[in-house]
Amino acid sequence: MNQMTAPELLTETLDQGVLTLTLGNGKAHALNAALIGALHSAVSRAAENPDARVIVIDGPGHIFCAGHDLKEIARHRADPDHGEAYLRALFADCAAMMQAITFSPLPTIAMVDGIATAAGLQLVAACDMAFVSHNATVCLPGVVNNGFCTTPAVAVSRAVGRKHLMELLLTGTPKSADWALRAGLVNEVTDPAELRAHTMAFAATLAGRNPGPIASGKVTTHRHLELDLPAAYEMATETMIGHFMDPDRIAHEKDSRWSG
């Protein structure tokens, strides 16, 4: 199934439980207000779609995602408030979209064959996993543009250690795919020709797993990471019991026992 969420913005393809969200909006796939809204809507709808089991976010070409649309931001500098109201709405909507990806009950995977910079790297870090090619580079360039990548750092800081985070933030220079792997930003680096097949094969395998425990387990994992150790074990234990009481799991165990 193919669906264009909005003209030239986002293409949705569902195949064997894997929902691929392909970024549009030009070669840079810049996160303007419309694309942010389209992504948020697609991710939210996927959580309610029983046929969707895994989400893959793809920014094809030389640029995975160049971050926020600076041309759109520049246009709002002509507003009476120099764009402040627009920026408040933009960053609030972007934060909500990134959290929808992170907290989705479906596993989320970024597939990166090019440049992921600023909010584009935030998008990669917001996903549960990231598979990239040797062509990929990562960057938080705010300091070289008279600013600072403060909001992208929220997602990135939850994927890397503080030293790597500050290196990205304070240098503003691009880092290689191998650097991103060492830093913990990505899971695997492959040859460009193998990236899509490798990512989709992994996603298809994951889509074949029991979705109920994955959904509850993923949500619990994100929540318990913010708790102290005793509270984390208490929360995880309740969810773990739910996994064992999952009807599909019980049915599978009965079928296995009878077939044996």
Side-chain angles (χ1 to χ4, degrees), residues 4-15:
M4 186 66 80
T5 302
E8 306 301 327
L9 278 180
L10 186 72
T11 303
E12 303 178 38
T13 305
L14 181 59
D15 182 27

Side-chain angles (χ1 to χ4, degrees), residues 93-151:
D93 290 345
C94 187
M97 179 270 288
M98 297 290 180
Q99 290 176 80
I101 291 171
T102 299
F103 293 126
S104 171
L106 307 183
T108 53
I109 302 171
M111 181 168 61
V112 185
D113 192 34
I115 300 166
T117 184
L121 183 54
Q122 182 183 3
L123 183 59
V124 174
C127 291
D128 297 313
M129 302 183 71
F131 293 94
V132 309
S133 81
H134 291 292
N135 292 334
T137 59
V138 300
C139 187
L140 293 179
V143 293
V144 299
N145 296 318
N146 299 309
F148 201 85
C149 282
T150 309
T151 50

Side-chain angles (χ1 to χ4, degrees), residues 154-195:
V154 174
V156 175
S157 69
R158 282 152 174 77
V160 304
R162 185 171 299 182
K163 302 296 185 185
H164 287 109
L165 173 68
M166 298 312 294
E167 184 176 355
L168 283 168
L169 286 168
L170 296 177
T171 66
T173 57
K175 303 295 183 181
S176 70
D178 288 335
W179 185 96
L181 180 65
R182 293 193 302 271
L185 262 173
V186 306
N187 296 88
E188 292 187 44
V189 181
T190 69
D191 290 332
E194 300 172 357
L195 175 63

